[in-house]
Amino acid sequence: MSQTVENLKALLVLNRFGRPKPVIELLSQGFTPSEILEREALVCPQSGSFHPEHEIEEAQKNHFQLITFLDARYPEPLKEIIDPPLVLYVAGSWNPTDWAAIAMVGTRHPSFYGIGQARRFARELAEQGCTIVSGMAKGIDQTSHEAVLEVSIGRTLAVLGCGLDQDYPKGSRLLFDRITEKGAVFSEYPFGTPPFSENFPRRNRIISGLSLAVVIVDAGQQSGALITAGFAAEQGREVFA
């Protein structure tokens, strides 16, 4: 909860007057993408030196999108949470039909039973028109994404805890590309941001924020999947296990 509060404080003070104001008032001042990126850098200080124009150039070079909170392409469900990212880095595309999204999360070291259930639920939900959201981590996350990609009408969204240009988990670039063909990969982190451990609890609020519900498939008591469940409960999303 403290991370959420600190992020909200950062959003509240990022305005030209230096006084706390409602987030929507800040965002309605007509900032350019470059100006919003400068403000986002203050929310993610571990990114080091930050140059908005460089971020825009890198996005164009790699055919990624930079979508601000004010953009019509910004996912509507994510606008409902208490601390939405000011800027989303996006590979692929979010469609209005993706409002019917279910997050599936779990351990990086699943049981055989957990893998089977992740595949079954992901496939059957995708066949019914649900978009599956997860974090592209090894284990339950990747199993869920891969099961959806086997469905002709399946769509899946992934949220990373690092920059879109990072090969993380290592060796997952092929999965990254496949997801962008039938969905999107999101990050709130600038290019070059490594997968710092503290990024992942923060990114979990986006996974739940994009979804109507979160399904915990196979997770231990210390699993990050339970952090996602906590965010989902705070955001008014359904939680299943």
Side-chain angles (χ1 to χ4, degrees), residues 10-31:
L11 286 170
L12 290 173
V13 300
L14 294 180
N15 66 81
R16 67 189 69 179
F17 303 108
R19 299 193 305 271
K21 291 189 174 183
V23 174
I24 195 64
E25 186 173 342
L26 160 68
L27 294 169
S28 67
Q29 293 181 29
F31 293 121

Side-chain angles (χ1 to χ4, degrees), residues 33-51:
S34 180
E35 289 170 334
I36 294 180
L37 282 169
E38 289 175 344
R39 286 158 174 76
E40 183 74 350
L42 298 179
V43 182
C44 309
Q46 76 267 56
S47 60
S49 60
F50 185 87
H51 304 286

Side-chain angles (χ1 to χ4, degrees), residues 98-222:
D98 292 330
W99 72 266
I102 305 294
M104 292 186 55
V105 294
T107 178
R108 288 173 168 80
H109 306 287
S111 63
F112 180 78
Y113 174 82
I115 292 173
Q117 294 305 307
R119 289 187 57 81
R120 180 170 74 91
F121 273 88
R123 283 185 61 90
E124 292 187 8
L125 288 168
E127 289 169 353
Q128 296 300 316
C130 293
T131 297
I132 300 301
V133 185
S134 200
M136 219 171 86
K138 293 183 182 299
I140 295 298
D141 290 15
Q142 287 194 359
T143 298
S144 301
H145 290 305
E146 290 167 352
V148 174
L149 294 171
E150 296 171 1
V151 178
S152 60
I153 62 170
R155 283 188 58 81
T156 186
L157 310 175
V159 186
L160 303 185
C162 57
L164 289 184
D165 57 342
Q166 302 295 293
D167 182 23
Y168 184 84
K170 189 174 182 179
S172 62
R173 211 61 192 177
L174 177 59
L175 178 59
F176 180 106
D177 292 338
R178 292 176 65 206
I179 290 173
T180 61
E181 293 173 0
K182 301 181 70 173
V185 179
F186 296 94
S187 177
E188 65 176 323
Y189 294 103
F191 296 115
T193 302
F196 295 119
S197 59
E198 61 266 29
N199 293 354
F200 291 91
R202 176 181 167 91
R203 100 41 226 263
N204 290 349
R205 83 191 194 286
I206 302 177
I207 292 177
S208 57
L210 286 167
S211 310
L212 294 175
V214 173
V215 178
I216 311 299
V217 181
D218 183 0
Q221 290 186 347
Q222 303 302 317

